[in-house]
């Protein structure tokens, strides 16, 4: 898709009262330099979906975009730090509750209390029982979102209808990239908000939450891709990063192929019984000291669990706090 196409899509969305607010990342983050917030409806009754990462650069950009606006609603697509980093501030400044799915709120609220026990249990599960305290020290602070919790929260449930920009939208909740992200499918116009479940050119993170290390997020992500692949080509998708796009089925098939390749590579890597942590350290020596180590464990466990679910691998509890091992079935 060229720039002109993208501009045309943004203009078309503008006619529906939908606009993209591009916010900067506070640090370089994988393939993305920016994150989207989306605005729906008129400035005097603005509905905002997402609010960017923590930090003053994103706050300044968001404040500028919202200058003079009265906020009627504030929704978080999911609770990853790059989408809810300003949530406490937005709720306070505009005196609105944060609307979020119940599953995402259970993850988000953990940010504001001690989640060390959850992280300990997760590290043990991965086979890091012995190195737990050093890892806890290295990674706990990195995983916390700075700032205060939203002071009011309202849970928005799946299978309901909600109004954005004067249009009716079906509320869907999908897990895969996170535990319960919103997808909003417009009933009155060919537009679907997909958030971080689907991008162009990049395969989103798919992995387990630290509180649910036995989950199979790839199964739900594949189900989501089936659902998206059924969208007509002209439907405009609103992503959490990057420009809006059409031809969702092409993106969905690209993501499915990429996830299947990752599964194949992981299946080939497991030749003898191994823990999740040993796999990650084997593939990337020194990974445990790096910032993204917990995220890599979560993604790897997602692949391993799915390979168990489809019968390629078996998982066994090695006992005595040594976590789980994975082996060929
Ligand atoms: Zn994101």
């Amino acid at each position: 898709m060229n720039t002109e196409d993208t501009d045309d899509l943004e203009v078309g969305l503008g006619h529906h009262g939908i606009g993209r607010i591009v916010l900067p990342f506070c640090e370089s983050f994988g393939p993305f330099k920016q994150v989207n917030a989306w605005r729906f409806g008129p400035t005097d009754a603005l509905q905002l979906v997402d609010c960017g990462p923590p930090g003053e650069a994103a706050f300044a950009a968001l404040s500028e975009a919202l200058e003079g606006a009265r906020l009627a609603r504030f929704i978080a697509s999911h609770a990853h730090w790059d989408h809810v980093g300003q949530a406490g501030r937005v709720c306070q400044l505009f005196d609105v509750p944060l609307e979020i799915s119940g599953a995402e709120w259970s993850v988000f609220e953990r940010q504001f209390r001690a989640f060390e026990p959850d992280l300990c249990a997760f590290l043990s599960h991965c086979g890091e029982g012995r190195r737990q305290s050093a890892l806890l020290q290295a990674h706990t602070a990195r995983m916390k979102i700075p700032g205060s919790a939203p002071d009011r929260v309202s849970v928005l449930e799946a299978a309901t209808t909600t109004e954005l920009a004067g249009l009716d939208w079906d509320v869907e909740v999908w897990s895969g990239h996170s535990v319960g992200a919103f997808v909003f499918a417009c009933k009155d116009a060919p537009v679907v908000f997909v958030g971080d479940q689907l991008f162009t050119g990049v395969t989103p993170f798919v992995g387990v939450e630290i509180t649910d290390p036995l989950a199979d997020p790839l199964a739900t992500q594949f189900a989501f891709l089936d659902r998206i692949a059924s969208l007509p080509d002209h439907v405009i998708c609103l992503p959490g990063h990057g420009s809006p796009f059409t031809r969702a089925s092409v993106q969905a098939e690209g993501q499915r192929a990429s996830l299947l390749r990752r599964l194949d590579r992981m299946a080939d890597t497991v030749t003898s019984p191994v823990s999740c942590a040993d796999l990650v350290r084997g593939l990337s020596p020194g990974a445990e000291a790096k910032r993204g180590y917990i995220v890599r464990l979560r993604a790897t466990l997602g692949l391993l669990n799915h390979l168990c679910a489809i019968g390629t691998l078996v998982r066994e509890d090695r006992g005595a706090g040594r976590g789980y091992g994975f082996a060929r079935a």
Side-chain angles (χ1 to χ4, degrees):
M1 185 183 299
N2 62 36
T3 318
E4 211 173 312
D5 288 334
T6 296
D7 288 348
D8 285 350
L9 293 184
E10 302 241 30
V11 169
L13 289 169
H15 292 312
H16 289 301
I18 301 169
R20 184 161 72 109
I21 302 172
V22 178
L23 300 169
F25 263 121
C26 46
E27 57 194 277
S28 113
F29 182 71
F32 298 117
K33 302 267 181 298
Q34 55 81 240
V35 53
N36 297 328
W38 288 93
R39 47 182 298 161
F40 294 82
T43 306
D44 62 354
L46 196 72
Q47 299 161 308
L48 178 71
V49 177
D50 290 347
C51 60
E56 294 314 308
F59 182 67
L62 186 66
S63 301
E64 194 186 328
L66 298 180
E67 202 183 334
R70 194 186 70 79
L71 213 58
R73 277 182 95 176
F74 172 38
I75 301 171
S77 64
H78 65 297
H80 286 175
W81 66 281
D82 54 326
H83 299 263
V84 293
Q86 307 290 342
R89 271 165 140 177
V90 169
C91 290
Q92 216 163 37
L93 278 174
F94 291 97
D95 193 24
V96 285
L98 173 68
E99 294 180 58
I100 189 167
S101 78
E104 293 292 337
W105 176 242
S106 72
V107 170
F108 191 22
E109 63 97 21
R110 206 178 59 229
Q111 293 288 328
F112 303 103
R113 59 183 170 83
F115 63 85
E116 287 82 351
D118 293 339
L119 188 54
C120 275
F122 176 75
L123 288 167
S124 289
H125 183 102
C126 294
E128 289 285 33
R130 281 187 301 125
R131 288 175 285 232
Q132 215 173 62
S133 43
L135 289 169
L136 211 58
Q137 226 173 14
H139 293 284
T140 303
R142 289 171 173 173
M143 292 172 66
K144 294 212 175 196
I145 298 174
S148 55
D151 45 13
R152 276 185 296 150
V153 169
S154 167
V155 169
L156 183 60
E157 293 298 353
T160 53
T161 300
T162 200
E163 178 271 319
L164 291 168
L167 306 168
D168 281 339
W169 305 66
D170 283 325
V171 179
E172 302 177 21
V173 172
W174 289 93
S175 63
H177 175 71
S178 62
V179 290
F182 286 134
V183 168
F184 300 123
C186 190
K187 293 152 83 93
D188 304 323
V191 185
V192 175
F193 174 88
V194 292
D196 276 12
Q197 288 280 124
L198 190 68
F199 306 129
T200 50
V202 175
T203 299
F205 165 85
V206 178
V208 304
E209 253 319 307
I210 63 170
T211 45
D212 197 7
L214 292 167
D216 180 5
L218 270 93
T220 44
Q221 190 68 10
F222 285 137
F224 166 75
L225 294 176
D226 289 343
R227 181 262 181 271
I228 286 296
S230 70
L231 288 175
D233 278 355
H234 68 285
V235 171
I236 305 173
C237 296
L238 313 181
H241 302 264
S243 301
F245 58 90
T246 54
R247 297 187 285 275
S249 63
V250 175
Q251 303 305 332
E253 288 318 314
Q255 192 194 125
R256 187 194 310 276
S258 161
L259 292 171
L260 289 172
R261 279 195 301 275
R262 287 182 196 177
L263 282 167
D264 279 348
R265 279 200 301 269
M266 187 54 66
D268 289 344
T269 307
V270 180
T271 47
S272 54
V274 67
S275 71
C276 177
D278 286 341
L279 266 173
V280 172
R281 287 164 179 266
L283 291 169
S284 176
E288 69 280 5
K290 295 191 184 132
R291 185 182 182 89
Y293 183 52
I294 306 297
V295 172
R296 289 198 61 172
L297 290 174
R298 290 168 53 204
T300 304
L301 214 42
L303 293 168
L304 292 169
N305 288 350
H306 192 68
L307 289 168
C308 291
I310 62 174
T312 308
L313 299 181
V314 289
R315 174 178 48 219
E316 61 161 14
D317 187 345
R318 301 192 295 185
R322 292 183 303 132
Y324 282 79
F326 296 85
R328 307 294 299 188

